[in-house]
Amino acid sequence: MRYLVVYDITDDSDRTGVSEILKNYGLKRFQKSAFIGKLKHSKYNSLITDLTNRQGVLKIMVAPICDKDFENIKFFGFDIIEENEHAIKFF
């Protein structure tokens, strides 16, 4: 399943920490505060645990996106150039 993660975090340290967590799970940034990528269900559960255990004032949304809905997403200003089991690359 693909997941879209967006956040609104004002503290630099908290924001960097969340960003590093998302990168460690193989999610790819496509906006300053938005990541997308595929995760197996077990990895999703682990990500949720890691985000839940993170201290600080965090406003984070993690939304699943099915294949059909993902195919209908319109990206403006960049395109998806490669997708595999672990990553989505943009240019």
Side-chain angles (χ1 to χ4, degrees):
M1 176 73 71
R2 287 181 187 88
Y3 293 90
L4 170 66
V5 182
V6 294
Y7 54 84
D8 180 12
I9 302 171
T10 56
D11 182 78
D12 289 342
S13 176
D14 290 339
R15 189 172 50 252
T16 299
V18 168
S19 173
E20 290 303 313
I21 289 171
L22 298 174
K23 289 178 192 176
N24 288 340
Y25 278 90
L27 299 178
K28 299 298 177 186
R29 182 185 304 241
F30 69 96
Q31 293 284 322
K32 287 187 177 184
S33 60
F35 285 74
I36 195 166
K38 278 189 173 182
L39 294 172
K40 294 185 182 292
H41 189 69
S42 60
K43 288 290 187 182
Y44 164 78
N45 287 334
S46 181
L47 171 64
I48 296 303
T49 298
D50 287 349
L51 292 174
T52 300
N53 291 336
R54 181 88 186 151
Q55 299 295 315
V57 178
L58 310 178
K59 297 176 187 173
I60 305 170
M61 181 191 76
V62 181
I65 303 174
C66 70
D67 289 342
K68 182 179 177 183
D69 288 339
F70 182 78
E71 291 171 8
N72 290 315
I73 293 175
K74 305 298 181 219
F75 291 97
F76 296 93
F78 49 89
D79 293 317
I80 297 172
I81 59 170
E82 179 181 329
E83 180 177 321
N84 62 37
E85 185 69 18
H86 302 289
I88 297 174
K89 296 181 181 178
F90 300 96
F91 73 90

